[in-house]
Each structure stands twice: as structure tokens, then as C-alpha cells.
Amino acid sequence: MPVTIRDVARASGVHISTVSRTFSAPHLVNPETRVRVLACAEDLGYRPNRAARALITGRTHNIGLIIADIANPFFPPLIKAAESQARHRDYHVFVADTNEDAAAEEELVHALAKQVDGVLLCSPRMSNSLIEQLSREVPLVVVNRQLAGLPCVLMDVGQGARSAIEHLAGLGHREIALLGGPRGSWTSRELRRAAGVAARAAGAELTVLGPNPPTETGGLAQAEQVRRAGVTAVLAYNDLMAIGLLEGLDALGVRVPQEVSVVGVDDISLSRLTRPKLTTVATPTAAAGRTAVDMLLQQDTDFPRTGRGGGAGAAVGVRRTTAQVMLQTELVIRDSTGPGPYAGPERPGATAAGPGPHRRADPGGPRVAAGDVVAS
Amino acid sequence: MPVTIRDVARASGVHISTVSRTFSAPHLVNPETRVRVLACAEDLGYRPNRAARALITGRTHNIGLIIADIANPFFPPLIKAAESQARHRDYHVFVADTNEDAAAEEELVHALAKQVDGVLLCSPRMSNSLIEQLSREVPLVVVNRQLAGLPCVLMDVGQGARSAIEHLAGLGHREIALLGGPRGSWTSRELRRAAGVAARAAGAELTVLGPNPPTETGGLAQAEQVRRAGVTAVLAYNDLMAIGLLEGLDALGVRVPQEVSVVGVDDISLSRLTRPKLTTVATPTAAAGRTAVDMLLQQDTDFPRTGRGGGAGAAVGVRRTTAQVMLQTELVIRDSTGPGPYAGPERPGATAAGPGPHRRADPGGPRVAAGDVVAS
DNA sequence: GATCTCTCTGCAAACCTTTGCAGTGAAGTA
DNA sequence: TACTTCACTGCAAAGGTTTGCAGAGAGATC
């Protein structure tokens, strides 16, 4: 039933190799023949079988996308952008969810290896050495993890943390807490390092709380600790935790931002919808997805795998690009940060922050909801 | 470089067909040989090439998942569940995003058809007849659309709408608005139909506003209309629109639920995080994903495609299961609904709703945030 | 001891496509 | 006219796997 190259060849009176060439090397076939073949193919609804093609060319025109948790709102924009970019380049995308499980990641890379031209590892939980090892099996691009010798797409959360701390210090906060992320997260380490430096420079003290699961629950569970720590501002590993913290503080009767200021990281769409709206370090997730796909595909055209042609040249040494891209982040100031105990005489909210990139969001809307200000 | 069945055969001193059988028909090979082959395979890190296998068996062990918009928070839980279920059954999942574009849907089905054993169409925007036609090319399961002769997974939004209207009427609302979804949405039509019937039965009047884009912006844009319509309660097509409406009403100084009650549909995770927390009709998205995958795979084992074996039996008539599954919805009462102008003497919030399934959410937490109640 | 049965294994074709090589005929050159 | 060049096309092998068929032994039955 499914129409093959043979059917097209029969219908247009040529050999199958001519049909093949019509699609994969059109300049080698007579224009007249070409239009005839194309017409027949169109008529019959022929589409080349990519699996059969992959068998001989060694390129599947598929890529794999391995995600720690699809339901985490950080990832969908990345997936969407990556898929879109891949499809523009005529690639299809396998998506797999690991449930934050390192073992599942490894198994998935193995399972997918033969079926794809490369794999995107997003916020992996595996060890560096394992990733290194897997990269010998299939081309890898890593998102949100720095790894010597491998192509990586990173977001400059260090700069983001600095902006956030400077923003808070500028508002008059001197006791700041950092809600750490999951153990083994590169982002969490980086955040902690940069925030530490920035706090010291601003004459503020940084208390680290964690590690924590990178979820709403993780943030909520730390509300009590935050209050007990006596800090007036908190930088959370991500928005989800920041939002959980918002909830937890609300339940404890701690007002945000009057008593405690909260800053998140990621700028997921949700963060515009909480009350108060969340001040956060925006990470360019969509750009990261696009960039990662580009790097993967570039690597693949530079150093093709298997296939009949590449056998001799590829040789033993596994060459590859190891470009590392660092994407800019940006502090988005909304309503969850306000003046602290050491605030100057400036109008609250208009306080200048440090020199980092930041912008005030949603200038048109109602900045501070009435309900938040007069709450019990 | 990549290890093939031939390498394993050589290493274990048997013919490739024996290796093949070791994996695909173990009972046909001598236990001793089997363990030897398996050991060699393990040693060499052999994994059968699924593309090559697909070429001859006609089954790819892949499925396609076509999604209107991955970034819409309704879908990720569905994707996650579907992917997980598929992988349990040893299937890999292509995910593709159509940007709500019908033409992209069609193109994707064609492009994927040869590479998958079936496709899940989630909230498709195509016409029924086109879907019908495409289903002759590749097995299809449709989610969120009822289509005679095709397997469908539906959520009982009709029941949900009824529960919501009865809940609102029970609270003393008589003037209710329905914020419609996008044109051509089965869910939207169903919602409207059921809400109309329920409103009539409850002696309430229903005003339909729309169609609207199924986004936060779509809801926000209708805030003015809602106020002008003079209704005291609104049922929105989905949570995203309800949340947008919440924002819009807040900007207009209309208090929720004191002046207007709002009910959403879907129970996306976001709806627990807004202020006030959203009352909503929970749809079982994860279950829908799992069920749809099961139906697709079931259909595929019942009526296999192509392949050497099935040629004679399959014949001309395209037989298939056409099971249609309707999943239950549930009204989740949170804080965005309150007593209306015709409320009885009951304690607000404890008002009994109609006989539909519903539950009061988050019994432990602070039910109504202080800030909401005393807001300006 | 001959025959049959049964279990296991090897052989080779098939799936659909790509691609190096060789062949064909026409046009161009001497 | 004879020869070369060139554009196009056909042939057949290859890629990794599955599977119907047949062959090889071993054990059982008479």
C-alpha cells in the first residue's frame, strides 16, 4: 500500500536511481525527466522513506531532546523553539522526559543514539564523566552545564545573580538569602558563586539555604527557614521556587515586598501572574533552544558520522567543535522587590540598581495591586 | 564504528539470523547459545538498529505527537504522560508543534507518516474531513475532538460546564457569561451547549462572549465586555483566559469574587497560584495522554500495517477500532467564586452546588488570602 | 537399525533507498 | 569521418535487519 520509489519509477518510465536523484541530486537529471518524475511523485503522494535513506547515508535527519521534566514550565519554551528550528532545517525531534533521573538519561541516550544525528541534553543530572563518555557514542550538545571539550549552551546566570544582588543592595537590603537548587546543578553552583561575590562587594551578607528540589514545593518548604534567618531579601534558584516561597510567606503572614523581597530566576510566563508579580532574572530559553539545535546541526555537517563517504576521512580521532555559547540574562523588575531597612531617601521602586542589564517591566499596568499593600 | 548484528554474530560464532532471533524470538534459540550471544552483545554494546528493523517489519516503534502549542500550559502534562506511557511500551515519541496552524498539522502528518506507527492529534485545528482523509494514511487518535469512525479521547467538559453553572447558581448567581474559545474548537462548542442547558435549568441567563483566542490575552481583552454585560459570574473556555480575565478585572478595579465570580477550565498548575486561586473544571490531561497512547498502540497491534506477514489478511477494507473514550472532569472549588446577589442565608463558601462531581481544594491551606478580602 | 520427530541453526531473499561505475547517444572537434 | 567530450541514465551493491525454508543432528519409537 505505501508508495515507494519503485512505484514512481514505473509510473514515469525511468529507473529508480533516476527517481532517487530527482530528489537528492536534481542537477544530475534532465529537466524534462525531472518534471515528469516530480509530477508522478506528486500524483502518487510519494515521500522518500527516511529510514531507508538513513540506512545508507548514515544520517537520520532526526535529533533527540532529553528533558529533565517537561512539566517544569522552564522547558516548554525551549522545546518549542528547538523543535521549530529543527523542523526549519528539515529535522524531526524525539522528545523524552527523564523525570530528573540520571539513569534514565543514560538509557535514553543509548536508546536514541542509532536513531538520531545528535542529542540535546537539557539541564542533565548525569556526571560530567558519563556525559563525556556518551558523547563518543553520539554527538551531544549540552544546555545549562559547562563541560570542557563539549559544545555547551549556557545562560549567564552569574551576571543575572550579580544584577539581582545589586538591585537588592541598591534597595537597602543587607541580609540576603539564596535558595539553592538541586545538588549537582551547574546553574545553582554558578548562582551561588556570583551571588557571593556580588554580596561581598555590596557589603551585604549572604545566607545559603539548600540544596532544594527546584519546584514550588521546594520553595514553600523554605518559607519558615527564611523567616527564621532574619533576612529581608531572597534570591531563589528559579521562579517556581520563588513562587512557592511567596505562597509560604503569605501563609506565615509575611508581606512581600514590604517585609521580604523576593527575586526569582527564569522569567517563566507564570511570574507575571502571581501577586505580587515576580521580579526575576530572565533567561533566554527560546534562544537557548534555537542555538543548541544550530550547534548540533553545524557539528553534524562539519564532521559527518558513518555513511559510505566519510569512512576514510573520519579516522580514529574524534574531532568536533567545542564552541561554548553564553547567552545574556536580564533582570526584570516587577513587584516582589521593594525598599529594605537601609533604603535611602529615594522613591521606592525607582531605586537605581547596579550597572547590570535590567529593565522595569509592564510600565503600563497597575504596578502594585492594592490588595497586596493593605493585606493584614 | 557502530556495532551491528554482524559483529555480534562473529564474536559469538553464530549466524546473524541466530543473533536476530536471540532478540526478537528468544524461544527459538538454544538457551546456551542465547546467553552466549547476549553476553557478546552486552560486551560490544550492541543495540538493534530500529530503522533497519522497521524497514522489514513495517513497524517503527515510534509515534508522533502533534500539538497545537507546546507553550500552552495545558499540553505539557499531556505530553509528559504520553511520552512516559509510550516509552514503557518501548516506543519513542516525535513531538511537533503546529503553532495552532491547520496547514502545518497536515504537512506534519504527511512528513511523519512513514516514520511512525501512529499519530496523536491533540486539539487539532484541521477540518473533520481532512482528518478523516489523513487517517487513511496513518493510524490516528484524536484528543479533544469527536469524530465519527475515529478513535477519540474526550474530556467531559459538558459535565464540567454543568457542575460549574450549578455551582454558580447555587451561590446565587443568575446572570452568567461564557467566554468562548477559538472558532472550530469542539470543546468550546460542547461547553456552550452544556452551559446553556444547565443555565436554563437553573433559571439563570447565559451571555456568550466570543469566540476568543484561548490565551491570557484573549481573557484580558474581554474584561471590559464582562463588566459592561452586567454579569456576576463568568465561565471561561480555559484557565489561561480566566487568568487573563482576573488580571483585566483587577485593572478595572472589579473585585473577584466579591463582585464577579470566575470559573476556568483545565486546572493547569498555574491556577493554584493566582490570587485569588482559581475555581476551575479539572480536566484529566495526563490520563488523556496515557489513554490516547494506549488506544493508538492497541489499534496498531490489532490491525498491523504493511510488513511481510500482514499482507494477505489486511486486504482492502480499512478496518480499525473506533473506540471513543470520555474522561470524567471535576469541579475544583477555590477562591475565585463566591456568593452572588441571590445568595441564600448559607455561610459563603460552604454553599452546596449541584449534584455534579466536585471537591473543595486545598482544605489545609489558607482558603481566602487576607489580601483579597480587604482589597480596596 | 531404520524411520520419524523435534529442536536448533544457517541460507538467502526482502525491505527502500543511495551511489560509484559504466554505458548510451548526441554534440563538438579535428 | 573518426574521435573526444559531455549530459544523462541504468545497473548493481550496499546498508542492518527479519523470516520462510531447508538442513543437520539428536533423541525416540518400533
Side-chain angles (χ1 to χ4, degrees), chain B residues 361-375:
Chain B
D362 319 321
R367 271 231 313 100
V368 175
D372 299 317
V373 179
V374 295

Side-chain angles (χ1 to χ4, degrees), chain A residues 220-288:
Chain A
L220 195 144
Q222 285 287 4
E224 183 60 42
Q225 298 291 340
V226 165
R227 179 163 69 171
R228 207 174 304 154
V231 299
T232 61
V234 182
L235 172 59
Y237 167 74
N238 66 10
D239 286 349
L240 232 38
M241 286 181 60
I243 289 167
L245 179 64
L246 247 38
E247 280 204 286
L249 291 177
D250 183 73
L252 294 174
V254 177
R255 293 167 305 157
V256 176
Q258 291 82 355
E259 297 175 61
V260 171
S261 286
V262 175
V263 180
V265 174
D266 283 348
D267 194 23
I268 60 181
S269 63
L270 224 161
S271 60
R272 286 174 301 114
L273 298 175
T274 55
R275 293 298 159 73
K277 295 176 182 172
L278 193 63
T279 293
T280 185
V281 175
T283 51
T285 20

Side-chain angles (χ1 to χ4, degrees), chain A:
Chain A
M1 193 63 183
V3 36
T4 79
I5 202 174
R6 229 168 293 271
D7 301 315
V8 179
R10 198 174 318 121
S12 47
V14 297
H15 193 262
I16 58 163
S17 51
T18 302
V19 178
S20 173
R21 275 188 278 257
T22 305
F23 287 97
S24 47
H27 61 281
L28 289 181
V29 22
N30 185 315
E32 289 178 34
T33 318
R34 198 192 311 159
V35 302
R36 188 155 38 95
V37 170
L38 285 177
C40 288
E42 173 79 24
D43 267 17
L44 299 173
Y46 169 73
R47 302 250 176 167
N49 181 325
R50 297 183 135 198
R53 177 181 284 181
L55 206 50
I56 186 163
T57 62
R59 357 203 55 229
T60 62
H61 266 242
N62 294 148
I63 66 174
L65 200 48
I66 297 184
I67 306 280
D69 178 12
I70 297 178
N72 180 333
F74 172 79
F75 289 111
L78 192 154
I79 302 174
K80 183 173 173 116
E83 196 273 335
S84 163
Q85 186 78 352
R87 193 132 47 81
H88 272 120
R89 307 232 183 295
D90 197 27
Y91 276 71
H92 291 161
V93 180
F94 284 112
V95 173
D97 181 304
T98 66
N99 263 317
E100 307 259 357
D101 176 14
E105 285 177 1
E106 181 183 2
E107 170 55 24
L108 270 167
V109 172
H110 283 131
L112 248 28
K114 287 258 187 49
Q115 257 182 122
V116 300
D117 295 339
V119 170
L120 247 57
L121 239 40
C122 301
S123 307
R125 303 287 180 245
M126 284 183 283
S127 71
N128 281 3
S129 60
L130 185 51
I131 295 179
E132 172 72 32
Q133 178 189 326
L134 290 174
S135 77
R136 281 192 287 271
E137 187 170 345
V138 58
L140 248 40
V141 167
V142 186
V143 179
N144 272 349
R145 178 103 143 226
Q146 190 159 32
L147 214 52
L150 272 186
C152 301
V153 177
L154 303 164
M155 326 234 191
D156 198 348
V157 285
Q159 171 62 46
R162 206 172 318 135
S163 300
I165 297 294
E166 285 166 354
H167 167 61
L168 292 171
L171 283 170
H173 295 277
R174 293 291 177 271
E175 310 280 338
I176 304 176
L178 174 69
L179 251 53
R183 200 181 302 276
S185 155
W186 176 86
T187 299
S188 187
R189 255 202 323 279
E190 190 63 12
L191 217 53
R192 180 172 173 168
R193 190 192 55 70
V197 173
R200 218 167 302 130
E205 187 165 351
L206 190 75
T207 312
V208 177
L209 266 32
N212 306 288
T215 60
E216 193 203 334
T217 315
L220 195 144
Q222 285 287 4
E224 183 60 42
Q225 298 291 340
V226 165
R227 179 163 69 171
R228 207 174 304 154
V231 299
T232 61
V234 182
L235 172 59
Y237 167 74
N238 66 10
D239 286 349
L240 232 38
M241 286 181 60
I243 289 167
L245 179 64
L246 247 38
E247 280 204 286
L249 291 177
D250 183 73
L252 294 174
V254 177
R255 293 167 305 157
V256 176
Q258 291 82 355
E259 297 175 61
V260 171
S261 286
V262 175
V263 180
V265 174
D266 283 348
D267 194 23
I268 60 181
S269 63
L270 224 161
S271 60
R272 286 174 301 114
L273 298 175
T274 55
R275 293 298 159 73
K277 295 176 182 172
L278 193 63
T279 293
T280 185
V281 175
T283 51
T285 20
R290 274 192 302 273
T291 307
V293 166
D294 278 347
M295 287 171 66
L296 193 61
L297 266 33
Q298 187 55 44
Q299 183 178 182
D300 197 46
T301 60
D302 288 352
F303 313 105
R305 318 168 62 197
T306 65
R308 226 140 82 163
V316 262
V318 187
R319 291 169 55 208
R320 61 178 160 228
T321 74
T322 79
Q324 308 214 337
V325 173
M326 178 76 83
L327 300 171
Q328 291 306 302
T329 59
E330 186 187 33
L331 181 66
V332 179
I333 300 173
R334 296 203 183 91
D335 309 331
S336 66
T337 48
Y342 300 86
E346 306 102 318
R347 216 174 93 249
T351 314
H358 57 80
R359 67 181 144 96
R360 177 153 273 291
D362 320 320
R367 272 229 316 96
V368 176
D372 300 316
V373 178
V374 295
S376 65

